[in-house]
PDB file of all heavy atoms in Angstrom:
ATOM      1  N   LEU A1032       0.823  -1.203   0.000  1.00 87.00           N
ATOM      2  CA  LEU A1032       0.000   0.000   0.000  1.00 87.00           C
ATOM      3  C   LEU A1032       0.859   1.255   0.000  1.00 87.00           C
ATOM      4  O   LEU A1032       1.528   1.567   0.977  1.00 87.00           O
ATOM      5  CB  LEU A1032      -0.907  -0.006   1.239  1.00 87.00           C
ATOM      6  CG  LEU A1032      -1.940   1.095   1.340  1.00 87.00           C
ATOM      7  CD1 LEU A1032      -2.921   1.021   0.187  1.00 87.00           C
ATOM      8  CD2 LEU A1032      -2.656   0.991   2.657  1.00 87.00           C
ATOM      9  N   GLU A1033       0.861   1.964  -1.135  1.00 87.00           N
ATOM     10  CA  GLU A1033       1.598   3.223  -1.266  1.00 87.00           C
ATOM     11  C   GLU A1033       0.809   4.334  -0.584  1.00 87.00           C
ATOM     12  O   GLU A1033      -0.393   4.466  -0.803  1.00 87.00           O
ATOM     13  CB  GLU A1033       1.795   3.591  -2.740  1.00 87.00           C
ATOM     14  CG  GLU A1033       2.671   2.631  -3.512  1.00 87.00           C
ATOM     15  CD  GLU A1033       4.148   2.847  -3.254  1.00 87.00           C
ATOM     16  OE1 GLU A1033       4.541   3.958  -2.834  1.00 87.00           O
ATOM     17  OE2 GLU A1033       4.914   1.890  -3.477  1.00 87.00           O
ATOM     18  N   LEU A1034       1.479   5.116   0.259  1.00 84.00           N
ATOM     19  CA  LEU A1034       0.782   6.156   1.001  1.00 84.00           C
ATOM     20  C   LEU A1034       0.596   7.437   0.189  1.00 84.00           C
ATOM     21  O   LEU A1034      -0.313   8.209   0.447  1.00 84.00           O
ATOM     22  CB  LEU A1034       1.514   6.450   2.307  1.00 84.00           C
ATOM     23  CG  LEU A1034       1.622   5.240   3.242  1.00 84.00           C
ATOM     24  CD1 LEU A1034       2.371   5.614   4.497  1.00 84.00           C
ATOM     25  CD2 LEU A1034       0.242   4.705   3.580  1.00 84.00           C
ATOM     26  N   GLY A1035       1.448   7.684  -0.781  1.00 85.00           N
ATOM     27  CA  GLY A1035       1.294   8.857  -1.637  1.00 85.00           C
ATOM     28  C   GLY A1035       1.611  10.160  -0.923  1.00 85.00           C
ATOM     29  O   GLY A1035       2.392  10.196   0.015  1.00 85.00           O
ATOM     30  N   LYS A1036       0.971  11.216  -1.348  1.00 86.00           N
ATOM     31  CA  LYS A1036       1.253  12.571  -0.852  1.00 86.00           C
ATOM     32  C   LYS A1036       0.349  12.964   0.307  1.00 86.00           C
ATOM     33  O   LYS A1036      -0.288  14.005   0.286  1.00 86.00           O
ATOM     34  CB  LYS A1036       1.083  13.584  -1.993  1.00 86.00           C
ATOM     35  CG  LYS A1036       1.968  13.342  -3.173  1.00 86.00           C
ATOM     36  CD  LYS A1036       3.303  13.961  -2.943  1.00 86.00           C
ATOM     37  CE  LYS A1036       4.150  13.796  -4.194  1.00 86.00           C
ATOM     38  NZ  LYS A1036       5.513  14.156  -4.002  1.00 86.00           N
ATOM     39  N   MET A1037       0.278  12.131   1.325  1.00 83.00           N
ATOM     40  CA  MET A1037      -0.594  12.436   2.454  1.00 83.00           C
ATOM     41  C   MET A1037       0.164  13.230   3.507  1.00 83.00           C
ATOM     42  O   MET A1037       1.338  12.993   3.760  1.00 83.00           O
ATOM     43  CB  MET A1037      -1.145  11.147   3.058  1.00 83.00           C
ATOM     44  CG  MET A1037      -2.058  10.407   2.099  1.00 83.00           C
ATOM     45  SD  MET A1037      -2.615   8.832   2.723  1.00 83.00           S
ATOM     46  CE  MET A1037      -3.485   9.329   4.170  1.00 83.00           C
ATOM     47  N   ASN A1038      -0.520  14.170   4.128  1.00 85.00           N
ATOM     48  CA  ASN A1038       0.060  14.967   5.203  1.00 85.00           C
ATOM     49  C   ASN A1038      -0.137  14.249   6.539  1.00 85.00           C
ATOM     50  O   ASN A1038      -1.038  13.404   6.670  1.00 85.00           O
ATOM     51  CB  ASN A1038      -0.608  16.348   5.257  1.00 85.00           C
ATOM     52  CG  ASN A1038      -0.288  17.172   4.043  1.00 85.00           C
ATOM     53  OD1 ASN A1038       0.843  17.193   3.576  1.00 85.00           O
ATOM     54  ND2 ASN A1038      -1.290  17.856   3.509  1.00 85.00           N
ATOM     55  N   PRO A1039       0.675  14.587   7.546  1.00 82.00           N
ATOM     56  CA  PRO A1039       0.489  13.978   8.868  1.00 82.00           C
ATOM     57  C   PRO A1039      -0.944  14.179   9.362  1.00 82.00           C
ATOM     58  O   PRO A1039      -1.512  15.265   9.236  1.00 82.00           O
ATOM     59  CB  PRO A1039       1.481  14.721   9.749  1.00 82.00           C
ATOM     60  CG  PRO A1039       2.541  15.187   8.804  1.00 82.00           C
ATOM     61  CD  PRO A1039       1.814  15.507   7.522  1.00 82.00           C
ATOM     62  N   GLY A1040      -1.554  13.107   9.870  1.00 88.00           N
ATOM     63  CA  GLY A1040      -2.916  13.172  10.385  1.00 88.00           C
ATOM     64  C   GLY A1040      -3.991  12.973   9.335  1.00 88.00           C
ATOM     65  O   GLY A1040      -5.166  12.811   9.652  1.00 88.00           O
ATOM     66  N   GLU A1041      -3.608  12.982   8.074  1.00 90.00           N
ATOM     67  CA  GLU A1041      -4.557  12.816   6.979  1.00 90.00           C
ATOM     68  C   GLU A1041      -4.832  11.321   6.772  1.00 90.00           C
ATOM     69  O   GLU A1041      -4.003  10.482   7.096  1.00 90.00           O
ATOM     70  CB  GLU A1041      -3.943  13.390   5.701  1.00 90.00           C
ATOM     71  CG  GLU A1041      -4.911  13.984   4.748  1.00 90.00           C
ATOM     72  CD  GLU A1041      -4.205  14.669   3.580  1.00 90.00           C
ATOM     73  OE1 GLU A1041      -2.986  14.578   3.453  1.00 90.00           O
ATOM     74  OE2 GLU A1041      -4.914  15.278   2.798  1.00 90.00           O
ATOM     75  N   PHE A1042      -5.994  11.004   6.226  1.00 90.00           N
ATOM     76  CA  PHE A1042      -6.314   9.621   5.917  1.00 90.00           C
ATOM     77  C   PHE A1042      -7.093   9.578   4.623  1.00 90.00           C
ATOM     78  O   PHE A1042      -7.565  10.589   4.117  1.00 90.00           O
ATOM     79  CB  PHE A1042      -7.121   8.962   7.053  1.00 90.00           C
ATOM     80  CG  PHE A1042      -8.551   9.415   7.125  1.00 90.00           C
ATOM     81  CD1 PHE A1042      -9.536   8.696   6.492  1.00 90.00           C
ATOM     82  CD2 PHE A1042      -8.894  10.567   7.821  1.00 90.00           C
ATOM     83  CE1 PHE A1042     -10.859   9.112   6.544  1.00 90.00           C
ATOM     84  CE2 PHE A1042     -10.207  10.986   7.885  1.00 90.00           C
ATOM     85  CZ  PHE A1042     -11.199  10.255   7.249  1.00 90.00           C
ATOM     86  N   ARG A1043      -7.198   8.360   4.090  1.00 89.00           N
ATOM     87  CA  ARG A1043      -8.050   8.141   2.925  1.00 89.00           C
ATOM     88  C   ARG A1043      -8.636   6.746   3.046  1.00 89.00           C
ATOM     89  O   ARG A1043      -8.106   5.887   3.756  1.00 89.00           O
ATOM     90  CB  ARG A1043      -7.274   8.288   1.623  1.00 89.00           C
ATOM     91  CG  ARG A1043      -6.251   7.192   1.382  1.00 89.00           C
ATOM     92  CD  ARG A1043      -5.646   7.340  -0.019  1.00 89.00           C
ATOM     93  NE  ARG A1043      -4.640   6.344  -0.308  1.00 89.00           N
ATOM     94  CZ  ARG A1043      -4.886   5.106  -0.735  1.00 89.00           C
ATOM     95  NH1 ARG A1043      -6.129   4.703  -0.905  1.00 89.00           N
ATOM     96  NH2 ARG A1043      -3.908   4.272  -0.990  1.00 89.00           N
ATOM     97  N   PHE A1044      -9.742   6.532   2.396  1.00 93.00           N
ATOM     98  CA  PHE A1044     -10.358   5.215   2.388  1.00 93.00           C
ATOM     99  C   PHE A1044      -9.642   4.343   1.365  1.00 93.00           C
ATOM    100  O   PHE A1044      -9.197   4.832   0.323  1.00 93.00           O
ATOM    101  CB  PHE A1044     -11.853   5.315   2.060  1.00 93.00           C
ATOM    102  CG  PHE A1044     -12.635   5.992   3.154  1.00 93.00           C
ATOM    103  CD1 PHE A1044     -13.011   7.318   3.042  1.00 93.00           C
ATOM    104  CD2 PHE A1044     -12.967   5.298   4.307  1.00 93.00           C
ATOM    105  CE1 PHE A1044     -13.718   7.946   4.051  1.00 93.00           C
ATOM    106  CE2 PHE A1044     -13.679   5.918   5.322  1.00 93.00           C
ATOM    107  CZ  PHE A1044     -14.047   7.246   5.194  1.00 93.00           C
ATOM    108  N   LEU A1045      -9.533   3.060   1.659  1.00 92.00           N
ATOM    109  CA  LEU A1045      -8.905   2.119   0.734  1.00 92.00           C
ATOM    110  C   LEU A1045      -9.906   1.652  -0.301  1.00 92.00           C
ATOM    111  O   LEU A1045     -11.100   1.523  -0.023  1.00 92.00           O
ATOM    112  CB  LEU A1045      -8.377   0.901   1.504  1.00 92.00           C
ATOM    113  CG  LEU A1045      -7.345   1.171   2.589  1.00 92.00           C
ATOM    114  CD1 LEU A1045      -6.944  -0.130   3.274  1.00 92.00           C
ATOM    115  CD2 LEU A1045      -6.135   1.872   2.022  1.00 92.00           C
ATOM    116  N   SER A1046      -9.390   1.388  -1.494  1.00 93.00           N
ATOM    117  CA  SER A1046     -10.254   0.836  -2.542  1.00 93.00           C
ATOM    118  C   SER A1046     -10.502  -0.643  -2.238  1.00 93.00           C
ATOM    119  O   SER A1046      -9.800  -1.259  -1.436  1.00 93.00           O
ATOM    120  CB  SER A1046      -9.565   0.970  -3.910  1.00 93.00           C
ATOM    121  OG  SER A1046      -8.449   0.107  -3.975  1.00 93.00           O
ATOM    122  N   GLN A1047     -11.495  -1.214  -2.898  1.00 95.00           N
ATOM    123  CA  GLN A1047     -11.785  -2.633  -2.712  1.00 95.00           C
ATOM    124  C   GLN A1047     -10.586  -3.494  -3.120  1.00 95.00           C
ATOM    125  O   GLN A1047     -10.284  -4.500  -2.479  1.00 95.00           O
ATOM    126  CB  GLN A1047     -13.020  -3.034  -3.512  1.00 95.00           C
ATOM    127  CG  GLN A1047     -14.301  -2.467  -2.951  1.00 95.00           C
ATOM    128  CD  GLN A1047     -15.511  -2.890  -3.768  1.00 95.00           C
ATOM    129  OE1 GLN A1047     -15.406  -3.433  -4.867  1.00 95.00           O
ATOM    130  NE2 GLN A1047     -16.694  -2.636  -3.219  1.00 95.00           N
ATOM    131  N   GLU A1048      -9.897  -3.080  -4.176  1.00 94.00           N
ATOM    132  CA  GLU A1048      -8.717  -3.827  -4.642  1.00 94.00           C
ATOM    133  C   GLU A1048      -7.603  -3.786  -3.595  1.00 94.00           C
ATOM    134  O   GLU A1048      -6.935  -4.794  -3.349  1.00 94.00           O
ATOM    135  CB  GLU A1048      -8.201  -3.252  -5.967  1.00 94.00           C
ATOM    136  CG  GLU A1048      -9.149  -3.438  -7.143  1.00 94.00           C
ATOM    137  CD  GLU A1048     -10.232  -2.348  -7.184  1.00 94.00           C
ATOM    138  OE1 GLU A1048     -10.045  -1.265  -6.600  1.00 94.00           O
ATOM    139  OE2 GLU A1048     -11.277  -2.604  -7.805  1.00 94.00           O
ATOM    140  N   GLU A1049      -7.381  -2.628  -2.969  1.00 92.00           N
ATOM    141  CA  GLU A1049      -6.341  -2.504  -1.941  1.00 92.00           C
ATOM    142  C   GLU A1049      -6.663  -3.373  -0.726  1.00 92.00           C
ATOM    143  O   GLU A1049      -5.788  -4.051  -0.186  1.00 92.00           O
ATOM    144  CB  GLU A1049      -6.184  -1.043  -1.507  1.00 92.00           C
ATOM    145  CG  GLU A1049      -5.567  -0.158  -2.565  1.00 92.00           C
ATOM    146  CD  GLU A1049      -5.615   1.315  -2.193  1.00 92.00           C
ATOM    147  OE1 GLU A1049      -6.604   1.755  -1.558  1.00 92.00           O
ATOM    148  OE2 GLU A1049      -4.650   2.027  -2.528  1.00 92.00           O
ATOM    149  N   VAL A1050      -7.921  -3.374  -0.321  1.00 93.00           N
ATOM    150  CA  VAL A1050      -8.338  -4.198   0.818  1.00 93.00           C
ATOM    151  C   VAL A1050      -8.138  -5.676   0.495  1.00 93.00           C
ATOM    152  O   VAL A1050      -7.577  -6.433   1.300  1.00 93.00           O
ATOM    153  CB  VAL A1050      -9.805  -3.911   1.207  1.00 93.00           C
ATOM    154  CG1 VAL A1050     -10.302  -4.909   2.237  1.00 93.00           C
ATOM    155  CG2 VAL A1050      -9.954  -2.487   1.722  1.00 93.00           C
ATOM    156  N   ALA A1051      -8.548  -6.096  -0.689  1.00 93.00           N
ATOM    157  CA  ALA A1051      -8.405  -7.498  -1.090  1.00 93.00           C
ATOM    158  C   ALA A1051      -6.931  -7.905  -1.111  1.00 93.00           C
ATOM    159  O   ALA A1051      -6.574  -8.999  -0.650  1.00 93.00           O
ATOM    160  CB  ALA A1051      -9.040  -7.723  -2.462  1.00 93.00           C
ATOM    161  N   LYS A1052      -6.080  -7.036  -1.625  1.00 91.00           N
ATOM    162  CA  LYS A1052      -4.644  -7.339  -1.693  1.00 91.00           C
ATOM    163  C   LYS A1052      -4.042  -7.460  -0.291  1.00 91.00           C
ATOM    164  O   LYS A1052      -3.262  -8.370  -0.021  1.00 91.00           O
ATOM    165  CB  LYS A1052      -3.923  -6.261  -2.498  1.00 91.00           C
ATOM    166  CG  LYS A1052      -2.531  -6.634  -2.887  1.00 91.00           C
ATOM    167  CD  LYS A1052      -1.961  -5.621  -3.867  1.00 91.00           C
ATOM    168  CE  LYS A1052      -0.625  -6.077  -4.400  1.00 91.00           C
ATOM    169  NZ  LYS A1052      -0.084  -5.151  -5.384  1.00 91.00           N
ATOM    170  N   LEU A1053      -4.422  -6.573   0.611  1.00 88.00           N
ATOM    171  CA  LEU A1053      -3.919  -6.642   1.986  1.00 88.00           C
ATOM    172  C   LEU A1053      -4.391  -7.924   2.678  1.00 88.00           C
ATOM    173  O   LEU A1053      -3.633  -8.561   3.421  1.00 88.00           O
ATOM    174  CB  LEU A1053      -4.352  -5.408   2.779  1.00 88.00           C
ATOM    175  CG  LEU A1053      -3.643  -4.107   2.434  1.00 88.00           C
ATOM    176  CD1 LEU A1053      -4.303  -2.933   3.151  1.00 88.00           C
ATOM    177  CD2 LEU A1053      -2.173  -4.179   2.778  1.00 88.00           C
ATOM    178  N   ILE A1054      -5.622  -8.316   2.432  1.00 89.00           N
ATOM    179  CA  ILE A1054      -6.151  -9.549   3.027  1.00 89.00           C
ATOM    180  C   ILE A1054      -5.375 -10.756   2.502  1.00 89.00           C
ATOM    181  O   ILE A1054      -4.996 -11.645   3.273  1.00 89.00           O
ATOM    182  CB  ILE A1054      -7.668  -9.686   2.767  1.00 89.00           C
ATOM    183  CG1 ILE A1054      -8.422  -8.640   3.594  1.00 89.00           C
ATOM    184  CG2 ILE A1054      -8.149 -11.099   3.090  1.00 89.00           C
ATOM    185  CD1 ILE A1054      -9.893  -8.521   3.264  1.00 89.00           C
ATOM    186  N   ARG A1055      -5.114 -10.777   1.184  1.00 89.00           N
ATOM    187  CA  ARG A1055      -4.330 -11.885   0.612  1.00 89.00           C
ATOM    188  C   ARG A1055      -2.937 -11.937   1.226  1.00 89.00           C
ATOM    189  O   ARG A1055      -2.433 -13.007   1.555  1.00 89.00           O
ATOM    190  CB  ARG A1055      -4.224 -11.738  -0.909  1.00 89.00           C
ATOM    191  CG  ARG A1055      -5.467 -12.160  -1.657  1.00 89.00           C
ATOM    192  CD  ARG A1055      -5.208 -12.304  -3.148  1.00 89.00           C
ATOM    193  NE  ARG A1055      -4.569 -11.155  -3.766  1.00 89.00           N
ATOM    194  CZ  ARG A1055      -5.209 -10.094  -4.265  1.00 89.00           C
ATOM    195  NH1 ARG A1055      -6.535 -10.044  -4.217  1.00 89.00           N
ATOM    196  NH2 ARG A1055      -4.545  -9.108  -4.825  1.00 89.00           N
ATOM    197  N   GLN A1056      -2.307 -10.789   1.393  1.00 84.00           N
ATOM    198  CA  GLN A1056      -0.967 -10.750   1.977  1.00 84.00           C
ATOM    199  C   GLN A1056      -0.980 -11.222   3.423  1.00 84.00           C
ATOM    200  O   GLN A1056      -0.075 -11.910   3.870  1.00 84.00           O
ATOM    201  CB  GLN A1056      -0.387  -9.337   1.905  1.00 84.00           C
ATOM    202  CG  GLN A1056      -0.004  -8.920   0.510  1.00 84.00           C
ATOM    203  CD  GLN A1056       0.457  -7.482   0.447  1.00 84.00           C
ATOM    204  OE1 GLN A1056       0.227  -6.689   1.345  1.00 84.00           O
ATOM    205  NE2 GLN A1056       1.110  -7.135  -0.644  1.00 84.00           N
ATOM    206  N   ALA A1057      -2.016 -10.873   4.154  1.00 84.00           N
ATOM    207  CA  ALA A1057      -2.108 -11.270   5.565  1.00 84.00           C
ATOM    208  C   ALA A1057      -2.307 -12.776   5.708  1.00 84.00           C
ATOM    209  O   ALA A1057      -1.884 -13.360   6.704  1.00 84.00           O
ATOM    210  CB  ALA A1057      -3.247 -10.518   6.242  1.00 84.00           C
ATOM    211  N   LYS A1058      -2.924 -13.399   4.725  1.00 86.00           N
ATOM    212  CA  LYS A1058      -3.192 -14.839   4.792  1.00 86.00           C
ATOM    213  C   LYS A1058      -1.995 -15.679   4.365  1.00 86.00           C
ATOM    214  O   LYS A1058      -1.960 -16.869   4.630  1.00 86.00           O
ATOM    215  CB  LYS A1058      -4.398 -15.197   3.918  1.00 86.00           C
ATOM    216  CG  LYS A1058      -5.704 -14.718   4.504  1.00 86.00           C
ATOM    217  CD  LYS A1058      -6.861 -15.137   3.638  1.00 86.00           C
ATOM    218  CE  LYS A1058      -8.173 -14.680   4.246  1.00 86.00           C
ATOM    219  NZ  LYS A1058      -9.321 -15.066   3.429  1.00 86.00           N
ATOM    220  N   LYS A1059      -1.000 -15.060   3.694  1.00 79.00           N
ATOM    221  CA  LYS A1059       0.178 -15.815   3.259  1.00 79.00           C
ATOM    222  C   LYS A1059       0.938 -16.304   4.484  1.00 79.00           C
ATOM    223  O   LYS A1059       1.155 -15.552   5.432  1.00 79.00           O
ATOM    224  CB  LYS A1059       1.116 -14.934   2.434  1.00 79.00           C
ATOM    225  CG  LYS A1059       0.667 -14.690   1.030  1.00 79.00           C
ATOM    226  CD  LYS A1059       1.725 -13.907   0.286  1.00 79.00           C
ATOM    227  CE  LYS A1059       1.298 -13.571  -1.115  1.00 79.00           C
ATOM    228  NZ  LYS A1059       2.302 -12.749  -1.796  1.00 79.00           N
ATOM    229  N   PRO A1060       1.367 -17.562   4.461  1.00 75.00           N
ATOM    230  CA  PRO A1060       2.175 -18.035   5.588  1.00 75.00           C
ATOM    231  C   PRO A1060       3.523 -17.318   5.602  1.00 75.00           C
ATOM    232  O   PRO A1060       4.121 -17.082   4.560  1.00 75.00           O
ATOM    233  CB  PRO A1060       2.344 -19.529   5.309  1.00 75.00           C
ATOM    234  CG  PRO A1060       2.045 -19.707   3.864  1.00 75.00           C
ATOM    235  CD  PRO A1060       1.140 -18.577   3.459  1.00 75.00           C
ATOM    236  N   ALA A1061       3.952 -16.952   6.790  1.00 65.00           N
ATOM    237  CA  ALA A1061       5.232 -16.258   6.933  1.00 65.00           C
ATOM    238  C   ALA A1061       6.371 -17.227   6.650  1.00 65.00           C
ATOM    239  O   ALA A1061       6.313 -18.394   7.018  1.00 65.00           O
ATOM    240  CB  ALA A1061       5.358 -15.683   8.332  1.00 65.00           C
ATOM    241  N   ALA A1062       7.385 -16.731   5.987  1.00 63.00           N
ATOM    242  CA  ALA A1062       8.572 -17.553   5.734  1.00 63.00           C
ATOM    243  C   ALA A1062       9.304 -17.744   7.051  1.00 63.00           C
ATOM    244  O   ALA A1062       9.541 -16.792   7.786  1.00 63.00           O
ATOM    245  CB  ALA A1062       9.470 -16.854   4.725  1.00 63.00           C
ATOM    246  N   VAL A1063       9.633 -18.972   7.348  1.00 60.00           N
ATOM    247  CA  VAL A1063      10.319 -19.280   8.598  1.00 60.00           C
ATOM    248  C   VAL A1063      11.767 -19.590   8.280  1.00 60.00           C
ATOM    249  O   VAL A1063      12.060 -20.414   7.419  1.00 60.00           O
ATOM    250  CB  VAL A1063       9.665 -20.484   9.312  1.00 60.00           C
ATOM    251  CG1 VAL A1063      10.437 -20.840  10.558  1.00 60.00           C
ATOM    252  CG2 VAL A1063       8.217 -20.178   9.620  1.00 60.00           C
ATOM    253  N   LYS A1064      12.657 -18.915   8.961  1.00 58.00           N
ATOM    254  CA  LYS A1064      14.074 -19.114   8.749  1.00 58.00           C
ATOM    255  C   LYS A1064      14.686 -19.519  10.078  1.00 58.00           C
ATOM    256  O   LYS A1064      14.595 -18.795  11.050  1.00 58.00           O
ATOM    257  CB  LYS A1064      14.706 -17.815   8.237  1.00 58.00           C
ATOM    258  CG  LYS A1064      16.137 -17.957   7.812  1.00 58.00           C
ATOM    259  CD  LYS A1064      16.608 -16.646   7.234  1.00 58.00           C
ATOM    260  CE  LYS A1064      18.008 -16.779   6.693  1.00 58.00           C
ATOM    261  NZ  LYS A1064      18.477 -15.519   6.123  1.00 58.00           N
ATOM    262  N   THR A1065      15.286 -20.691  10.115  1.00 61.00           N
ATOM    263  CA  THR A1065      15.903 -21.166  11.341  1.00 61.00           C
ATOM    264  C   THR A1065      17.366 -20.760  11.335  1.00 61.00           C
ATOM    265  O   THR A1065      18.094 -21.061  10.385  1.00 61.00           O
ATOM    266  CB  THR A1065      15.791 -22.695  11.457  1.00 61.00           C
ATOM    267  OG1 THR A1065      14.418 -23.039  11.363  1.00 61.00           O
ATOM    268  CG2 THR A1065      16.379 -23.188  12.758  1.00 61.00           C
ATOM    269  N   VAL A1066      17.764 -20.078  12.377  1.00 59.00           N
ATOM    270  CA  VAL A1066      19.147 -19.632  12.501  1.00 59.00           C
ATOM    271  C   VAL A1066      19.720 -20.256  13.753  1.00 59.00           C
ATOM    272  O   VAL A1066      19.151 -20.147  14.828  1.00 59.00           O
ATOM    273  CB  VAL A1066      19.227 -18.090  12.593  1.00 59.00           C
ATOM    274  CG1 VAL A1066      20.658 -17.642  12.787  1.00 59.00           C
ATOM    275  CG2 VAL A1066      18.610 -17.471  11.361  1.00 59.00           C
ATOM    276  N   THR A1067      20.852 -20.915  13.603  1.00 57.00           N
ATOM    277  CA  THR A1067      21.528 -21.490  14.745  1.00 57.00           C
ATOM    278  C   THR A1067      22.663 -20.556  15.129  1.00 57.00           C
ATOM    279  O   THR A1067      23.556 -20.308  14.317  1.00 57.00           O
ATOM    280  CB  THR A1067      22.096 -22.880  14.404  1.00 57.00           C
ATOM    281  OG1 THR A1067      21.036 -23.681  13.913  1.00 57.00           O
ATOM    282  CG2 THR A1067      22.720 -23.525  15.609  1.00 57.00           C
ATOM    283  N   PRO A1068      22.637 -20.015  16.347  1.00 58.00           N
ATOM    284  CA  PRO A1068      23.707 -19.094  16.728  1.00 58.00           C
ATOM    285  C   PRO A1068      25.043 -19.820  16.828  1.00 58.00           C
ATOM    286  O   PRO A1068      25.096 -20.983  17.233  1.00 58.00           O
ATOM    287  CB  PRO A1068      23.261 -18.568  18.087  1.00 58.00           C
ATOM    288  CG  PRO A1068      22.217 -19.502  18.555  1.00 58.00           C
ATOM    289  CD  PRO A1068      21.653 -20.200  17.367  1.00 58.00           C
ATOM    290  N   HIS A1069      26.091 -19.141  16.432  1.00 52.00           N
ATOM    291  CA  HIS A1069      27.435 -19.704  16.510  1.00 52.00           C
ATOM    292  C   HIS A1069      27.946 -19.525  17.936  1.00 52.00           C
ATOM    293  O   HIS A1069      27.920 -18.435  18.479  1.00 52.00           O
ATOM    294  CB  HIS A1069      28.370 -18.996  15.534  1.00 52.00           C
ATOM    295  CG  HIS A1069      29.785 -19.447  15.652  1.00 52.00           C
ATOM    296  ND1 HIS A1069      30.185 -20.698  15.275  1.00 52.00           N
ATOM    297  CD2 HIS A1069      30.882 -18.823  16.114  1.00 52.00           C
ATOM    298  CE1 HIS A1069      31.478 -20.820  15.497  1.00 52.00           C
ATOM    299  NE2 HIS A1069      31.923 -19.700  16.002  1.00 52.00           N
ATOM    300  N   ASP A1070      28.389 -20.584  18.534  1.00 48.00           N
ATOM    301  CA  ASP A1070      28.933 -20.533  19.890  1.00 48.00           C
ATOM    302  C   ASP A1070      30.406 -20.887  19.817  1.00 48.00           C
ATOM    303  O   ASP A1070      30.768 -22.038  19.591  1.00 48.00           O
ATOM    304  CB  ASP A1070      28.172 -21.503  20.803  1.00 48.00           C
ATOM    305  CG  ASP A1070      28.590 -21.372  22.267  1.00 48.00           C
ATOM    306  OD1 ASP A1070      29.580 -20.666  22.552  1.00 48.00           O
ATOM    307  OD2 ASP A1070      27.919 -21.983  23.108  1.00 48.00           O
TER     308      ASP A1070
END
């Protein structure tokens, strides 16, 4: 979601396409990366 030229405190309503895209992104499983610390 690009914020564009909004001033502090300003808001705008999201389009249906933007809402759908955010919902799809939220449902994606997070990539899990296992890191073993070097001791």
Side-chain angles (χ1 to χ4, degrees):
L1032 186 62
E1033 295 281 338
L1034 300 179
K1036 301 275 184 190
M1037 295 175 61
N1038 293 318
E1041 212 174 6
F1042 74 94
R1043 69 173 179 83
F1044 292 101
L1045 301 179
S1046 69
Q1047 289 180 349
E1048 293 83 21
E1049 290 171 325
V1050 171
K1052 193 171 187 178
L1053 287 172
I1054 290 171
R1055 282 193 309 272
Q1056 288 175 343
K1058 288 182 179 180
K1059 283 185 183 177
V1063 177
K1064 188 176 185 180
T1065 304
V1066 177
T1067 305
H1069 175 69
D1070 187 351

